[in-house]
Amino acid sequence: MKVCYDKLWKLLIDKKMKKTDLIRDAKISSNVLAKMGKEESVSLESIGKICSLFGCSVDDILEFKLPEQTADNGENK
């Protein structure tokens, strides 16, 4: 199952932050950011640090993509 972080990327744009700012301010590693860029899972601790930084909940920064959503993109004809 892939994890979509599009909400986080939009939040960074809205806050006029760069990904390097996120690494520094949330105290996460560049490896965590790289995994997020590839829609991979990261630790709950890392997600918690990001949520704490922005004062938001998990569903404000990520959503899960189910396998059937990525396979056919909802284009059943």
Side-chain angles (χ1 to χ4, degrees), residues 9-64:
W9 309 141
K10 177 159 181 3
L11 184 60
L12 288 178
I13 292 167
D14 292 345
K15 300 278 187 185
K16 295 181 171 52
M17 290 178 71
K18 297 179 181 177
K19 291 179 179 179
T20 52
D21 298 329
L22 178 63
I23 291 170
R24 182 191 66 234
D25 296 346
K27 296 179 176 58
I28 60 172
S29 71
S30 57
N31 290 338
V32 168
L33 191 68
K35 287 178 117 184
M36 293 169 79
K38 294 186 253 178
E39 297 186 334
E40 295 178 4
S41 298
V42 297
S43 74
L44 192 54
E45 181 180 358
S46 297
I47 297 299
K49 288 178 179 180
I50 295 168
C51 289
S52 179
L53 172 66
F54 292 118
C56 65
S57 63
V58 174
D59 62 337
D60 292 327
I61 62 168
L62 65 83
E63 61 188 10
F64 293 102

Side-chain angles (χ1 to χ4, degrees), residues 68 71-77:
E68 58 271 8
D72 65 10
N73 292 326
E75 296 177 5
N76 292 332
K77 295 184 181 180

